Amino acid sequence: MKNFSTVGTRIAVGALFACALAGPVQAATCEFRPNAPDQHLVVRGDTLWDISGKFLEHPWCWPQVWGMNRDEIRNPHWIYPGQIVYFDRANRRLSLTRPGAIDNADGINGTTRLSPQIRTEGLGVDAVRSISASVIDPFLSMPLIVEKDELKDAPRIAALEEGHVYLGKDDKLYVRGRLNGGSSFQVFRPGNELKDPDTGRLLAYEAVYLGTVKLQQEAKAGEDVHTFTVSAAKQEMGVGDRLIPAPPTPIRNYVPHQPERQTSARVLSIYSGVTYAGQNQVVSINRGSVDGLDVGAVLQLYHFGQTVADPGGNKGILGLGKTMIKLPDEQIGTLFIFRVFKQVSYGLIMQVTKPVEVGDVAKSPE
């Protein structure tokens, strides 16, 4: 993979995030930190978020100061340890070329043009990631959210090998349902329902990941079940547990950026079932790809403003009524979206000043 480089002043900031379906999204103010360094030497363990935070008030402004368009956000060039990121103060941008130096690629002072490239699902061994991998990797490889449409048609374990109540590695099992050409599946058990806090509508289920199974023999004519064996078992599997196809290699080459559309979401759940979440914890929200969210989108977190009685308000003719007032939402942190489903997404809490709880608001940056 190639490295990040800069582009001349050729893209208006306000045009970077236009959305035909929801109208143009006003780009939030992007400012460099007053104490931003002249340069930063990239070291192993750095993330794009960390590097951005050294130069910018808002790390999600990264695409703006590199002059990246939507294709370049989705298919970025990469930065590697040992490279130097320079702050070009005169042009208010970041660069891998020292300000004033002649770039060999196109002979323009301090300018190297980015060009879109074919999506690469993995990273180079040493490439700098967007955010720390240690927290989010389990959420990329396991089906921790199963949308309601998937559950309806998912194949299920119908019977076990004689003498077995639960399954472990290399055990045989029998599955009923349509495989649609698949041979490798992940096994899960539906967990908590995830309902939209605004509408009460069921969006998805939290899935309890149990392991993986591999097809040994597809059902022949006159047979009702397919024969599988357990490839790996994280927890015991049993009759009634469901199968979904093993997911494709997760996308890890994403860049922090503003959402494509103006977004207002609510926190659905906090992973591990705890009541409050802090920095570097994972939450789900009630917006997904159908709402214009994509991997790398950044939202601001707010405590949801409660509706309370106004003690000084009009109490009505008999003095028994109450005037209700809505308190403003209180900004408390930042959420980085790293996995997107159709109607639900997972986000990592990047900075937070107060604990996040279910029902809190996640909005496009202002």
Side-chain angles (χ1 to χ4, degrees), residues 143 185-188 208-213 230-235 237:
F185 290 79
Q186 294 181 325
V187 184
F188 70 94
V208 180
Y209 174 73
L210 305 177
T212 58
V213 295
V230 177
S231 305
K234 183 179 179 184
Q235 297 186 40
M237 308 171 197

Side-chain angles (χ1 to χ4, degrees), residues 22 25 29-30 55 76 80 97 126 138 161 191 203 224 243 250 290 296 323 352:
V25 173
T29 303
C30 186
F55 294 97
Y80 289 84
T97 304
D126 296 321
E161 194 172 13
L203 299 176
D224 296 319
L243 278 63
V290 296
T323 299
V352 69

Side-chain angles (χ1 to χ4, degrees), residues 4 42-43 45-52 62 78-81 121-138 140 250-256 336:
F4 269 120
V42 181
V43 299
D46 274 350
T47 64
L48 292 188
W49 191 272
D50 296 334
I51 298 170
S52 301
W62 182 264
W78 285 103
I79 290 177
Y80 289 84
E121 299 298 335
L123 294 178
V125 174
D126 296 321
V128 169
R129 291 196 179 198
S130 300
I131 52 179
S132 175
S134 59
V135 177
I136 69 168
D137 271 357
L140 298 177
I251 299 170
R252 290 187 172 90
N253 59 338
Y254 35 74
V255 172
F336 189 105

Side-chain angles (χ1 to χ4, degrees), residues 93-150:
R93 67 188 183 197
L94 298 179
S95 173
L96 292 179
T97 304
R98 185 186 297 275
I102 300 294
D103 184 88
N104 293 329
D106 49 42
I108 303 173
N109 286 349
T111 301
T112 305
R113 288 193 177 274
L114 283 168
S115 57
Q117 64 183 38
I118 297 172
R119 176 181 297 278
T120 305
E121 299 298 335
L123 294 178
V125 174
D126 296 321
V128 169
R129 291 196 179 198
S130 300
I131 52 179
S132 175
S134 59
V135 177
I136 69 168
D137 271 357
F139 294 85
L140 298 177
S141 59
M142 301 176 188
L144 296 175
I145 284 199
V146 180
E147 297 188 280
K148 61 176 184 177
D149 294 340
E150 287 183 277

Side-chain angles (χ1 to χ4, degrees), residues 31-286:
E31 299 291 342
F32 283 92
R33 298 173 66 91
N35 60 345
D38 292 325
Q39 63 186 55
H40 171 72
L41 174 65
V42 181
V43 299
R44 190 176 300 277
D46 274 350
T47 64
L48 292 188
W49 191 272
D50 296 334
I51 298 170
S52 301
K54 292 181 183 296
F55 294 97
L56 298 163
E57 293 286 1
H58 304 296
W60 41 260
C61 281
W62 182 264
Q64 296 182 33
V65 297
W66 288 85
M68 301 172 73
N69 61 30
R70 294 300 300 183
D71 284 336
E72 291 159 344
I73 290 170
R74 294 189 179 101
N75 305 287
H77 297 236
W78 285 103
I79 290 177
Y80 289 84
Q83 293 182 308
I84 297 176
V85 176
Y86 295 98
F87 179 14
D88 183 348
R89 295 181 185 274
N91 295 296
R92 309 294 290 175
R93 67 188 183 197
L94 298 179
S95 173
L96 292 179
T97 304
R98 185 186 297 275
I102 300 294
D103 184 88
N104 293 329
D106 49 42
I108 303 173
N109 286 349
T111 301
T112 305
R113 288 193 177 274
L114 283 168
S115 57
Q117 64 183 38
I118 297 172
R119 176 181 297 278
T120 305
E121 299 298 335
L123 294 178
V125 174
D126 296 321
V128 169
R129 291 196 179 198
S130 300
I131 52 179
S132 175
S134 59
V135 177
I136 69 168
D137 271 357
F139 294 85
L140 298 177
S141 59
M142 301 176 188
L144 296 175
I145 284 199
V146 180
E147 297 188 280
K148 61 176 184 177
D149 294 340
E150 287 183 277
L151 185 65
K152 180 178 64 175
D153 299 322
R156 58 182 172 82
I157 299 177
L160 310 182
E161 194 172 13
E162 188 175 354
H164 287 68
V165 178
Y166 290 101
L167 299 170
K169 191 175 184 313
D170 298 325
D171 286 342
K172 190 179 292 185
L173 62 147
Y174 302 97
V175 172
R176 190 164 195 180
R178 298 181 57 134
L179 304 181
N180 296 319
S183 60
S184 181
F185 290 79
Q186 294 181 325
V187 184
F188 70 94
R189 186 172 298 139
N192 297 328
E193 294 181 341
L194 296 178
K195 293 185 176 181
D196 191 311
D198 296 323
T199 66
R201 184 168 59 94
L202 176 64
L203 299 176
Y205 298 88
E206 285 189 328
V208 180
Y209 174 73
L210 305 177
T212 58
V213 295
K214 189 171 183 59
L215 177 66
Q216 295 300 310
Q217 178 66 57
E218 196 164 353
K220 298 177 181 178
E223 296 179 345
D224 296 319
V225 295
H226 316 283
T227 303
F228 280 77
T229 55
V230 177
S231 305
K234 183 179 179 184
Q235 297 186 40
E236 292 180 325
M237 308 171 197
V239 171
D241 291 334
R242 304 298 185 106
L243 278 63
I244 61 173
T249 304
I251 299 170
R252 290 187 172 90
N253 59 338
Y254 35 74
V255 172
H257 59 273
Q258 250 186 310
E260 185 175 333
R261 305 182 199 171
Q262 198 68 34
T263 300
S264 181
R266 301 281 297 278
V267 174
L268 284 174
S269 66
I270 299 170
Y271 184 65
S272 297
V274 296
T275 304
Y276 300 101
Q279 188 163 328
N280 291 328
Q281 287 188 268
V282 173
V283 299
S284 63
I285 62 170
N286 64 333

